[in-house]
Amino acid sequence: MTRSVTLPVVVKHAVTNEDAPWDRFDSADYYLHNYARLRDDDRDIIDRVATFFAAHGPRKRLGRAIDVGSGTNLYPALTMLPFSAHVTLFERAFTNRSWLTTSLEKPQDSWRDFWARIATGREAYAGMREPLDVLAGRAEVTAGNVFKLTPGQYDLGTMFFVAESITTRKDEFERATQQFVGSLRPWGPFAAAFMCESKGYWVGDDFFPACSITEKDIRECLAPVARIHEIEEVESHGLREGYSGMIVATGWKR
């Protein structure tokens, strides 16, 4: 869910998920800064995630998919679309749920560029006609907290920039990541993206917390609950101050 702009303030005490002002999240500001155009780092993430799902997505039947912490980002859900009869957009912030509902009905032009990157050279995606209309028909915006996800409900899932971007506490990052994987059925494929060494971020007039993590932290967190396919660093520059890159993890629920 969470990437943004401006030099972060120094947080001298632990800030939990409950402390953050989620219902003041400025969705329009966040979309404009992050997703109004297709960035190079998103191209790299798409290539890794769409290639993984094209190879390992459900084949015998369309599954139930979940995108945890959708925020103002539709492309994780789009990467799961050919393999999903139903896509839950699971989001805590009221402002983001309103944004998602409106954007599914009238999607912004930028999502066509994201889809073009997803579909190019990948047969599973290339045959889909009007994917944004298909997503609108299959998606359901659902209010929810990552820490209260029900185990074993979904066949595949995504979680982009969420677990490390809702708290400064390492234990909450770990619990959020493991709750996400735990919401899948055994062998359910997943893709998750993370900000590396994030120090927090501004959205509009509000500052939101982050937990500074590395590839090693993600690997140790996933090991008990997932069969890891790959954990890869993604080069990223200029999005905002206070981070050193992005990380993508793919794999399956144990």
Side-chain angles (χ1 to χ4, degrees):
M1 181 176 72
T2 9
R3 305 180 304 179
S4 200
V5 63
T6 305
L7 184 67
V9 299
V10 176
V11 178
K12 296 183 178 179
H13 59 87
V15 180
T16 71
N17 179 56
E18 291 300 323
D19 295 329
W22 296 114
D23 284 335
R24 294 204 306 269
F25 196 94
D26 189 333
S27 307
D29 177 80
Y30 192 76
Y31 165 77
L32 285 172
H33 184 71
N34 290 277
Y35 301 115
R37 64 183 179 89
L38 177 60
R39 291 172 46 89
D40 288 343
D41 43 29
D42 287 314
R43 288 187 180 91
D44 288 349
I45 292 169
I46 283 170
D47 287 346
R48 298 167 200 269
V49 171
T51 297
F52 173 73
F53 281 135
H56 303 290
R59 285 290 187 271
K60 294 182 180 180
R61 61 180 177 82
L62 294 181
R64 294 184 68 220
I66 185 168
D67 178 47
V68 174
S70 302
T72 63
N73 186 0
L74 297 182
Y75 86 76
L78 288 170
T79 66
M80 297 187 288
L81 196 57
F83 318 105
S84 308
H86 183 271
V87 183
T88 296
L89 303 181
F90 194 80
E91 172 57 45
R92 176 170 182 169
F94 170 78
T95 52
N96 286 339
R97 295 197 303 273
S98 296
W99 185 95
L100 287 164
T101 299
T102 300
S103 297
L104 287 170
E105 294 173 356
K106 189 176 180 181
Q108 295 82 2
D109 290 341
S110 66
W111 301 119
R112 301 186 186 282
D113 295 330
F114 282 83
W115 177 259
R117 185 69 181 199
I118 292 169
T120 298
R122 298 180 181 93
E123 185 178 352
Y125 299 95
M128 293 198 74
R129 303 286 184 180
E130 302 299 333
L132 293 167
D133 290 343
V134 175
L135 180 63
R138 296 182 186 178
E140 179 182 4
V141 180
T142 301
N145 185 325
V146 63
F147 297 115
K148 298 180 180 178
L149 281 164
T150 303
Q153 296 297 301
Y154 299 96
D155 299 299
L156 68 164
T158 50
M159 182 180 69
F160 280 29
F161 312 113
V162 176
E164 81 291 5
S165 300
I166 59 175
T167 180
T168 64
R169 287 175 45 171
K170 182 85 171 294
D171 64 321
E172 286 196 332
F173 154 73
E174 293 171 347
R175 187 155 60 96
T177 301
Q178 292 178 356
Q179 285 284 119
F180 159 63
V181 176
S183 72
L184 305 177
R185 297 188 175 99
W187 285 104
F190 69 85
F194 305 87
M195 300 298 284
C196 184
E197 297 181 319
S198 176
K199 295 177 173 61
Y201 54 99
W202 289 95
V203 181
D205 295 328
D206 290 300
F207 187 77
F208 289 84
C211 180
S212 179
I213 60 162
T214 65
E215 182 270 343
K216 180 175 180 289
D217 297 311
I218 296 167
R219 189 173 298 278
E220 290 176 351
C221 178
L222 287 174
V225 296
R227 295 173 173 88
I228 297 169
H229 175 61
E230 289 181 328
I231 300 179
E232 303 173 285
E233 294 186 8
V234 173
E235 187 174 349
S236 176
H237 304 286
L239 181 65
R240 60 169 169 83
E241 300 292 334
Y243 79 110
S244 64
M246 301 176 184
I247 301 171
V248 176
T250 52
W252 301 267
K253 157 70 178 298
R254 282 192 179 275

